[in-house]
Amino acid sequence: MSGPSGGMGPSGQRSSSNGPPAGGGMGMPPIQQSGSGAQSGSGSSSGGGQSNISQANLNSIIARMESSTIKSSVVPLCTGDTGPDRSQPVPEPRANLDAIFQFAIARLENLLDVLNRAGETLTLMETSQRIEYATAKFREAKDVLIRMTQRITGHRTPQLKDSPSMTRAELVDLTHMVIEYLSKKGYSRTEATLRMESANQDADGRPIYSRAEDSGGPKYARAFTLIRNWIEGNLDIYKPELRRLLWPIFVYSFLNLASEHYLKDCENFFNAHREQFARQHEEDLRALGPIRLPEHVNSNDVAKIYRGSKYRVTLSTAAFFTMIQFLESKDKEGGSVVLSILQSFCNIITVERGPAGDASNSLAAILNRGKEEEDMPAEDEGIPGHNAGSANTDRNAPAALPKLKLGALPMEPELMEDVQAELEEEDAKSPPAAGRNSLVQEYERHIKREESEDAPNRNDLPLPPSLARDVVMEVQKVKENRDRFKIEARTGGIGPAVSVVMFTFHNTYDTINCLDFSQDNLLVAAGTSESYIRVWSLEGKKLNSVLPPSPYNPPPSSSRSLVGHSGPVYAVSFSPSIVNPSTDSTSAPTGSKYLISSSADKTVRLWSLDTWTCLVAYKGHDHPVWDVTWGPFGHYFITASHDKTARLWSTEHISDLRMFVGHDKDVDTVCFHPNSAYIFTGSCDKSVRMWAISTGNAVRLFTGHTGNIATLACSPDGKILASADDGGTIILWDLASGRRLKRMRGHGKGGIWSISWNVESTVLVSGGADGTVRIWDVVVPPDGQTSQGKVIGEGGSGAKIDGGGQAGVQAATSSAAGVGGAGGVGGAGGVGGKKKGKEVVVTPDQISAFPTKKSPVYKVRFTRQNLVVAGGAYMP
């Protein structure tokens, strides 16, 4: 074989690059010359005046080296085997020593020189790979040279491997012999490398790792244990925020182990540390669990999200510098491994601890937040991470947020005048009692909506002209607002007495997927897994049709079936309506006119409640549609789908008007802002986004949930958003600042399926799979006060299973709220059987809880008079 890059052979003459020279059975000519000639050849090979080595030439060199290694050239000469031609006399090994050394070392010097120069023309990764290759070849050649030296000095190769008499001192002597020879001949770089290699070997010649990063797969386990033990032993003021680093370090260490082919280390590392993250990252752990190989990392959706973005964590400046100082001091024990992960895969934002007057970043606030939420992610933490509330995920994005218009949508001038006239007429017919506002006064103070800086423009969201029906509805809203049961907030630690009416569906056989109540409280609709919808009258009255009787139009009854979908129905929603107590036949009807439904068949259907037929089938989504809901003024509706999009529709158009794209996974739930200028989307990527309808852009991003977002609800005053997940947690968000107000917990296994606000935006009601309806106080406690909850047993009837089918409905009488203390209501943990369930933390925000027997609660809703209506299916 020729020398690399066509260098000079041992004889000092240029060798052919196409094959072995004549007379060399293993790629070397017979050794007959002295060492000086070899030295000259090697010098020409390794020290020639070559310029930058091209990629093609370097690849050719590597290929030739791989086809005929140093070992295959040197070993035959050491053993006396010169190839097939055994007729040639075998030279004495001692006579060959100089020539063999010169040949092997020249090859190594040339290869290392080429690789050192390659950094000028190759990428860092390519150069690194070639240096690793050269290092492996050097170690191989070093072993051959040591064995050959032992043969010359009387030691046999098997004796070096097997004989217990070969001591550490003897091995050191042999290494020194080689080093002395290299020094004598002037091979300084090879000598330095051999000295470094020899200094880190045990008595058997195995390497001794002085740095964690040199130990291969185990380095990640050592590094993770190092940083975890340090965090757990740190000061309490730093511990909560530093613990947030453990999850990204764990994930990226695990993915690196899989990417670097450490299969066993990868599995052991995951199994050893997964339990400490099971509560807050259960879904991600389930998705990452099967990963063992680089192919798994490249094909796993969750792994691609983590590897494609940096994990954002916010730390105080003091905690950050304390950590960096520790990691640098433990560089060899694994600190450098942790630093490498943080630098490559994390985006650490440092903030100064606030002064005494800054309540949000004060020492007391940090300590209390740590105690309360140490097992929950921060609101700006995660992939890709963002400034709190900001929808801009660029790591260099400014902290400023776009201004929102959260005020009520102004009324049409003509509608305002008509409503004013009707109210004046009503006041003239029925003057208010002493001490009560007149209808006109109530309208002026609470209902009337005029142009303001905080209100959106009507031109941004065109609505059809108002009709007589709209006038009647606005007048009735004023009446209900004046006469409602007022729930201001908790006072003196005692919550308001809220009443709940629970409607239980029997004989459903677990086939109901969804429920919705009409806003006039006259109808309830259930979507089933058997592809149809059933509508009941809550008063037991017959549901008439304007169509004449026919085989396709059965006689009126207290329930109707709507057939048209070809897959399970996942959501139903009634169009806006209101109770009309007027007995005047000339008065415009104010009941629900339409029902909208979404299905696994990828369509959304609009149903007429006058003819009980399907009017339109809206098509546009590519996958099942999980949720659909009407806007506050009708006309528009929004859908959520498995295709990771939400879409805005109008009853006047067959195609969607807006498509909202940005979530990494399914969009599971949607809702409107009360002024209809914004929508909210919740996803199983554990984030909530707020979108401007006029532009289609995201204006807020809320993160902090540990489970999939199951339901959303915006407060009637338009200032707060409530989001609930399938882990039983409710989070309140301030829309203007984009910050999290507080987190509330109390529901058990299965999650929360529905939430609703009271008229005053001070109380929230929720229902879920644990078979309870719970009332929550929305008032945010002063910062610095802890909200540690009370631990109770888990209640409920278990998780809901999607299904559908015919069902009977039974209206249950209301249960007056037993007023509970701050720790929740006793007995909530005894629901659903005697067997003790998993412990559940109930935060002091819970005012009261209403347990059902064995009925998961599918839907809850506050009426305009602050009565709670709830519905669920009995599951024995």
Side-chain angles (χ1 to χ4, degrees), residues 7 36 79 193 252 384 436 510 515 590 658 706 758 761 823 835:
S36 59
T79 58
T193 304
Y252 291 115
R436 298 186 65 187
D510 195 27
L515 289 176
T590 58
R658 287 280 190 276
T706 59
N758 70 328
S761 303
K835 184 178 180 180

Side-chain angles (χ1 to χ4, degrees), residues 329-636:
S329 67
K330 298 293 183 180
D331 180 71
K332 294 184 178 181
E333 292 85 347
S336 59
V337 177
V338 177
L339 284 173
S340 176
I341 291 175
L342 296 179
Q343 182 179 6
S344 302
F345 302 110
C346 293
N347 177 24
I348 299 180
I349 307 298
T350 58
V351 295
E352 293 290 343
R353 182 179 301 155
D358 184 3
S360 62
N361 287 324
S362 65
L363 178 59
I366 292 175
L367 290 175
N368 283 314
R369 282 199 301 266
K371 293 177 182 177
E372 178 185 356
E373 301 170 354
E374 62 183 0
D375 60 342
M376 298 294 178
E379 56 189 307
D380 60 346
E381 177 184 341
I383 296 289
H386 60 102
N387 292 313
S390 174
N392 190 345
T393 57
D394 188 342
R395 62 180 300 178
N396 298 318
L401 300 177
K403 184 179 179 181
L404 303 178
K405 295 186 176 182
L406 303 177
L409 184 70
M411 298 176 66
E412 291 179 283
E414 297 81 2
L415 177 61
M416 196 180 304
E417 294 174 1
D418 292 342
V419 171
Q420 183 94 10
E422 287 289 333
L423 294 175
E424 291 175 355
E425 184 178 345
E426 288 288 336
D427 282 337
K429 291 180 181 179
S430 304
R436 298 186 65 187
N437 292 334
S438 66
L439 293 176
V440 174
Q441 290 174 332
E442 189 73 20
Y443 173 68
E444 293 286 346
R445 294 180 182 180
H446 303 291
I447 305 299
K448 188 176 181 179
R449 306 188 301 273
E450 296 179 332
E451 296 282 352
S452 67
E453 293 183 358
D454 192 39
N457 194 326
R458 289 188 63 89
N459 296 328
D460 294 338
L461 189 70
L463 291 170
S466 58
L467 305 174
R469 179 177 186 270
D470 299 309
V471 177
V472 175
M473 292 182 68
E474 290 296 332
V475 170
Q476 185 60 28
K477 287 179 182 178
V478 177
K479 293 180 180 180
E480 291 185 352
N481 190 74
R482 186 187 66 175
D483 301 336
R484 76 183 188 276
F485 171 71
K486 294 179 174 55
I487 305 176
E488 298 300 338
R490 173 184 295 177
T491 57
I494 300 176
V498 178
S499 296
V500 179
V501 176
M502 177 71 185
F503 292 89
T504 304
F505 291 74
H506 290 275
N507 303 320
T508 64
Y509 303 105
D510 195 27
T511 54
I512 290 182
N513 288 342
C514 55
L515 289 176
D516 191 39
F517 296 96
S518 63
Q519 295 178 12
D520 59 6
N521 306 315
L522 297 177
L523 300 173
V524 60
T528 72
S529 66
E530 296 176 346
S531 307
Y532 72 92
I533 303 162
R534 196 160 188 86
V535 182
W536 289 270
S537 169
L538 293 179
E539 297 180 333
K541 295 181 178 179
K542 293 182 178 181
L543 302 177
N544 295 312
S545 172
V546 298
L547 299 177
S550 68
Y552 302 101
N553 183 31
S557 64
S558 61
S559 66
R560 291 268 187 171
S561 293
L562 303 176
V563 180
H565 283 292
S566 59
V569 179
Y570 292 130
V572 290
S573 179
F574 284 101
S575 61
S577 61
I578 199 169
V579 175
N580 186 3
S582 175
T583 57
D584 187 358
S585 60
T586 62
S587 178
T590 58
S592 293
K593 297 178 61 177
Y594 305 106
L595 178 73
I596 198 84
S597 62
S598 64
S599 169
D601 62 9
K602 310 176 190 177
T603 66
V604 177
R605 289 183 178 264
L606 180 68
W607 307 84
S608 169
L609 300 184
D610 293 327
T611 62
W612 301 101
T613 57
C614 180
L615 302 178
V616 187
Y618 299 94
K619 299 180 180 179
H621 285 289
D622 299 327
H623 292 85
V625 185
W626 301 131
D627 195 18
V628 62
T629 187
W630 283 98
F633 305 105
H635 189 66
Y636 295 101

